[in-house]
Amino acid sequence: MMLISCPWCGPREEAEFHYGGQAHVSYPEDPSALSDEEWARFLFYRDNPKGPFAERWNHSASCRRWFNVIRDTVTYEILAVYPVGTPKPVIA
């Protein structure tokens, strides 16, 4: 089980959270102007890297707030946790 550190509540077990997908994916400025293929690409295509990956998480069992996590997809190690709306930290 992963231990995730909520920016507002501190470290909690993974069971208290819900995964929200890839972080830093911007909603299209004019969704009605997109073709079906472009809309499908926005909805369903996400990066799937081996290594550090920015994800959105929701602390659903407590403060119910969204935040971002950089997690290594190979080792599951959490490298950074930061609030939504703040810049993505540089991971060395």
Side-chain angles (χ1 to χ4, degrees):
M1 172 144 323
M2 286 192 302
L3 188 64
I4 300 173
S5 185
C6 173
W8 297 276
C9 304
R12 302 287 196 274
E13 291 186 2
E14 172 187 4
E16 290 193 19
F17 300 89
H18 281 99
Y19 178 76
Q22 183 176 350
H24 308 289
V25 176
S26 299
Y27 194 78
E29 288 184 32
D30 186 8
S32 61
L34 299 179
S35 68
D36 288 345
E37 182 178 334
E38 292 168 326
W39 185 245
R41 182 165 293 283
F42 166 73
L43 289 176
F44 302 114
Y45 285 64
R46 295 292 181 254
D47 296 336
N48 189 17
K50 189 175 186 178
F53 184 56
E55 306 169 330
R56 296 176 58 216
W57 285 82
N58 177 260
H59 194 179
S60 55
S62 185
C63 68
R64 301 178 65 170
R65 294 177 78 174
W66 286 95
F67 59 95
N68 294 328
V69 170
I70 298 180
R71 181 180 62 88
D72 189 305
T73 59
V74 176
T75 64
Y76 288 89
E77 178 185 5
I78 294 178
L79 306 171
V81 176
Y82 55 103
V84 171
T86 60
K88 182 179 173 182
V90 177
I91 302 297

